[in-house]
Amino acid sequence: MPRYTVHVRGEWLAVPCLNRTNTIGWLGKEAVRRYMKNKPDNGGFASVEEVKFYIRRCKGLGLLDLDDTVEDALEDNEFVEVVIEGDIMSPDFIPSQPEGVHLYSKYREPEQYISLDGNSLTTEDLVNLGKGLYKIKLTPEAEAKVKQSREVIERIVKEQTVVYGITTGFGKFARTVIPNSKLKELQVNLVRSHSAGVGKPLSPERSRMLLALRINVLAKGYSGISLETLQQVIEAFNASCLPYIPEKGTVGASGDLAPLSHLTLGLIGEGKMWSPKSGWADAKYVLEAHGLRPITLKPKEGLALINGTQMITSLGCEAVERASAIARQADIIAALTLEVLKGTTRAFDTDIHAVRPHRGQSEVAFRFRSLLDSDHHPSEIAESHRFCDRVQDAYTMRCCPQQGKGAAFRASGFVGHFFCIDVKTMNWGKMVFAERAETISGGNFHGEYPAKALDYLAIGVHELAAISERRIERLCNPSLSELPAFLVTEGGLNSGFMIAHCTAAALVSENKALCHPSSVDSLSTSAATEDHVSMGGWAARKALRVIEHVEQVLAIELLAACQGIEFLRPLRTTTPLEKVYDLVRSVVRPWMKDRFMAPDIEAAHRLLVEQKASVWEVAKPYIEKYRKEHIPESRPISPTAFSLGLLEMNMGVGHDHSHQNEL
């Protein structure tokens, strides 16, 4: 029998429908009738007939025609809201389109699986799981380990051994012994009391990452969770039933207790939950709509589900992947700007970077050569100023390998290596060692490691925007660029990129404040039991904000550089940079006169963050082809350089043009 979940004035009601030819208006009246029946004063209404209302879908908030049949308008188990005329929207009703949910607007249930054993998940895998590209299953080995660790917990409970968090209270209450009859209640109370986060909910993508990473850690078999409960968690993930997880509330020690408690709260059928099918609704209804049962926590399972640094780590993995992507693409954008400003490539000569063999610096210089070598990719723009009298370029062009680009390359690589390890580690306090048949309390839940790494990442990546903003200034300033002011014709009548540059400056300024390390702070919590904490949750969130700002600033530079190309036509740049120009022009047309600019910036931003049609994907084949064709020169390689893996960095010969009297 079809059934619909209806939201009326802050309450959720399940309304069965025997006849699918009933109208949407009938469904609304039936929901109101059930609502009135549950209220001592009938909800303030004399009868159902006097209630005037309209109905909208919870997913997308689209209005429904009251005269349509439910068969034509709704799918089975769809979620809708009855809005009574004159009411203000219920304050506890959460809009069904949280920030970032556009990523799920075309969600299709994946058919492929990733097998988790706790030891092989990568940061890239985790980000793809967040995007909904895979379902999850456990390996047989992981299932066996989970069963073995649970046997240890069952033995402790049976023998009534006093063990922290299993038969005792938590934190300051560690010496309070709990009777066996209340051990399940202990775990539920733990989850409810620790669900104390505030702020906007994590996006569906980030909630999926958090849930996937939690499953991966539990699969290692050190938590004491039962296989039955873990399989229920996996079923919720595979159905994209994602609990409401406020982004604020963790201090990053004893793990991310508040976010993980909200995650667990939804899994036990309390609080809010979101799925592509339902939008936001009460968790028990969302689970029921997907044929799932709420989890019933056994002894120790509440603690197993909420103790760890998975919010810091999952957001950190996203930060690493995005930082790596924007660092690569920043080189391409800077190379395009250098062409527009008629700069030299002499500063990227192989020999210069061989004598200061930082890997990031060498790789960035190589990318510039691969994009700008006019012997390999003839450039009419480069040829037009071969014999100009300029001596050298400004630092934000000449020193790109040594400035933020090399630093960001190195930072993202270092932090990426760290998170490749951390996604596979056991980061909670009460560990179950089945081979020793005992539990041991430690401090692996402390978030100091990832917090420090993410603060470093934010500082390293920020420089990409700082130097990009200076190049935007050079593009817009006619005394520096030899181009029309603000890259527009009829200046004065048109303002061109004047305020786009201001936006870039504003974002860079915000990043300067956001780059203050959060991991240098600590506040004692839990009655001085947790007397030094990491603030890793904030480190992760602000690192992501810094990276987003960097992406937006570079999107503005990309638009400005492509606009600069318009004033150099009919001259053409190198083949790979022409391909980048064509990609941008496929979504943003040239600026002949002023128009609404924000959509253009957003379109350029998407070209930097989308995997299939990104600036990097367009330029990458040319970079890799150049790498293969330019073998290392026959110069001696020092043992130090070799040990650093720099042999491949000493590739590429010469440069494509030079200014006279280069210093």
Side-chain angles (χ1 to χ4, degrees):
M1 176 174 58
R3 194 201 69 148
Y4 305 97
T5 305
V6 187
H7 185 265
V8 184
R9 284 187 167 177
E11 295 189 11
W12 290 95
L13 305 163
V15 180
C17 182
L18 293 172
N19 186 352
R20 295 200 64 185
T21 61
N22 286 336
T23 65
I24 296 295
W26 170 88
L27 178 64
K29 285 185 178 180
E30 181 63 15
V32 171
R33 186 185 69 77
R34 290 168 180 256
Y35 168 79
M36 291 171 58
K37 185 178 179 181
N38 292 337
K39 298 295 179 183
D41 62 349
N42 289 331
F45 301 114
S47 69
V48 172
E49 300 304 323
E50 78 168 36
V51 181
K52 295 182 179 180
F53 57 84
Y54 61 90
I55 299 182
R56 63 183 182 181
R57 302 179 193 274
C58 289
K59 181 183 177 183
L61 306 182
L63 287 175
L64 297 170
D65 190 321
L66 298 182
D67 294 328
D68 285 347
T69 65
V70 294
E71 183 177 30
D72 292 335
L74 300 175
E75 298 178 0
D76 287 354
N77 292 323
E78 191 155 351
F79 287 62
V80 297
E81 184 194 22
V82 171
V83 181
I84 297 170
E85 283 190 9
D87 278 2
I88 299 174
M89 185 187 294
S90 174
D92 69 342
F93 179 72
I94 305 164
S96 65
Q97 299 294 332
E99 184 179 354
V101 80
H102 63 275
L103 297 166
Y104 274 65
S105 60
K106 297 181 180 179
Y107 175 80
R108 294 291 181 272
E109 185 173 323
E111 297 180 357
Q112 293 182 295
Y113 284 81
I114 282 183
S115 296
L116 297 185
D117 58 7
N119 300 311
S120 55
L121 187 70
T122 67
T123 57
E124 184 180 3
D125 290 337
L126 185 61
V127 171
N128 286 332
L129 284 166
K131 292 176 180 177
L133 302 182
Y134 301 100
K135 291 183 178 180
I136 284 174
K137 61 182 178 181
L138 297 179
T139 65
E141 294 78 12
E143 291 183 354
K145 289 180 180 179
V146 170
K147 288 179 180 178
Q148 290 169 5
S149 70
R150 185 63 200 176
E151 290 171 1
V152 176
I153 302 301
E154 298 292 352
R155 190 178 309 117
I156 288 170
V157 173
K158 183 178 180 180
E159 296 173 358
Q160 297 186 7
T161 308
V162 177
V163 178
Y164 173 79
I166 302 175
T167 56
T168 75
F170 307 94
K172 194 70 173 176
F173 299 118
R175 296 183 181 181
T176 303
V177 179
I178 310 298
N180 275 20
S181 61
K182 294 190 175 183
L183 293 184
K184 291 184 179 180
E185 183 182 354
L186 171 70
Q187 300 301 312
V188 174
N189 287 347
L190 173 71
V191 172
R192 287 171 177 164
S193 66
H194 285 44
S195 298
V198 298
K200 295 185 298 183
L202 296 181
S203 67
E205 187 175 46
R206 290 175 179 170
S207 296
R208 275 181 64 93
M209 287 176 62
L210 178 57
L211 185 53
L213 188 56
R214 196 62 191 163
I215 292 168
N216 185 64
V217 174
L218 293 169
K220 293 179 75 70
Y222 292 99
S223 71
I225 196 170
S226 68
L227 183 59
E228 176 193 4
T229 297
L230 182 52
Q231 291 290 6
Q232 283 186 270
V233 177
I234 293 171
E235 288 171 0
F237 176 90
N238 289 342
S240 282
C241 293
L242 307 173
Y244 181 91
I245 306 168
E247 63 179 6
K248 301 176 184 178
T250 175
V251 294
S254 270
D256 296 315
L257 290 173
L260 290 171
S261 295
H262 281 277
L263 179 74
T264 307
L265 191 71
L267 296 173
I268 67 174
E270 299 184 17
K272 304 290 183 183
M273 186 173 271
W274 184 92
S275 81
K277 178 178 182 178
S278 67
W280 286 113
D282 283 359
K284 63 180 179 180
Y285 289 111
V286 177
L287 291 170
E288 193 174 312
H290 290 81
L292 303 176
R293 296 176 294 106
I295 290 171
T296 300
L297 295 175
K298 304 178 184 67
K300 212 279 188 180
E301 290 191 326
L303 185 61
L305 285 163
I306 74 169
N307 193 206
T309 61
Q310 278 67 58
M311 178 170 166
I312 302 172
T313 306
S314 61
L315 296 184
C317 288
E318 180 188 345
V320 165
E321 290 295 315
R322 287 175 66 175
S324 299
I326 198 59
R328 291 192 300 265
Q329 295 177 109
D331 298 335
I332 301 165
I333 296 167
L336 187 59
T337 296
L338 185 139
E339 271 283 87
V340 173
L341 295 176
K342 299 182 179 179
T344 177
T345 60
R346 296 256 318 171
F348 312 119
D349 188 279
T350 306
D351 289 339
I352 291 175
H353 302 282
V355 298
R356 195 188 187 194
H358 292 293
R359 181 165 183 168
Q361 175 180 330
S362 299
E363 175 65 13
V364 171
F366 168 79
R367 289 179 189 162
F368 272 79
R369 293 195 302 276
S370 70
L371 296 166
L372 294 169
D373 184 344
S374 60
D375 292 333
H376 195 77
H377 305 297
S379 168
E380 295 172 345
I381 294 175
E383 189 63 29
S384 73
H385 61 96
R386 178 179 290 273
F387 302 107
C388 68
D389 59 359
R390 192 185 310 167
V391 175
Q392 58 189 13
D393 296 321
Y395 285 1
T396 51
M397 294 188 291
R398 185 178 10 143
C399 302
C400 280
Q402 295 90 344
Q403 287 178 320
K405 296 183 181 304
F409 179 93
R410 194 61 176 163
S412 60
F414 168 77
V415 178
H417 175 71
F418 171 85
F419 277 98
C420 282
I421 296 172
D422 214 44
V423 295
K424 306 165 190 173
T425 56
M426 294 304 303
N427 43 28
W428 60 63
K430 176 60 67 176
M431 308 246 316
V432 181
F433 293 93
E435 65 276 9
R436 295 169 58 174
E438 66 177 310
T439 64
I440 305 175
S441 289
N444 281 358
F445 50 60
H446 206 286
E448 193 82 1
Y449 268 127
K452 288 279 191 280
L454 287 163
D455 283 338
Y456 171 48
L457 181 66
I459 292 168
V461 175
H462 156 71
E463 284 301 296
L464 296 177
I467 61 179
S468 174
E469 182 275 329
R470 289 291 80 207
R471 289 193 300 268
I472 296 169
E473 157 71 11
R474 303 191 77 82
L475 287 164
C476 291
N477 188 334
S479 65
L480 300 174
S481 68
E482 301 177 4
L483 297 169
F486 303 110
L487 302 170
V488 72
T489 57
E490 294 189 79
L493 176 63
N494 295 300
S495 297
F497 279 72
M498 181 187 295
I499 303 306
H501 173 232
C502 289
T503 297
L507 294 172
V508 169
S509 182
E510 280 193 35
N511 275 2
K512 291 175 183 177
L514 290 170
C515 282
H516 177 79
S518 44
S519 59
V520 301
D521 186 26
S522 176
L523 285 172
S524 178
T525 59
S526 193
T529 303
E530 300 162 4
D531 57 347
H532 187 275
V533 299
S534 73
M535 300 302 177
W538 173 227
R541 289 193 295 113
K542 73 182 184 63
L544 281 167
R545 192 183 300 181
V546 167
I547 292 165
E548 183 178 33
H549 290 169
V550 170
E551 293 166 348
Q552 290 164 336
V553 171
L554 282 159
I556 293 170
E557 183 187 355
L558 177 61
L559 290 177
C562 287
Q563 182 65 14
I565 290 282
E566 307 300 338
F567 297 104
L568 300 179
R569 292 304 193 205
L571 300 180
R572 296 178 64 81
T573 181
T574 64
T575 302
L577 294 181
E578 284 290 342
K579 294 294 184 182
V580 172
Y581 169 87
D582 291 341
L583 175 65
V584 174
R585 286 291 171 252
S586 71
V587 296
V588 177
R589 67 184 189 275
W591 271 64
M592 307 310 295
K593 60 180 181 179
D594 282 350
R595 64 173 186 266
F596 184 18
M597 180 167 268
D600 289 350
I601 297 173
E602 177 57 30
H605 184 206
R606 286 198 299 272
L607 294 180
L608 300 179
V609 298
E610 291 181 356
Q611 289 181 326
K612 292 183 179 179
S614 69
V615 167
W616 174 252
E617 289 303 316
V618 168
K620 180 182 177 181
Y622 297 93
I623 296 171
E624 295 309 316
K625 185 172 184 285
Y626 190 88
R627 194 186 300 276
K628 290 177 182 178
E629 293 178 357
H630 288 70
I631 60 174
E633 297 177 10
S634 57
R635 70 165 64 86
I637 302 297
S638 72
T640 302
F642 186 81
S643 68
L644 289 171
L646 295 175
L647 183 62
E648 75 275 19
M649 298 305 167
N650 291 324
M651 293 192 239
V653 292
H655 44 78
D656 59 1
H657 71 287
S658 64
H659 295 310
Q660 299 301 299
N661 303 316
E662 178 73 43
L663 294 182

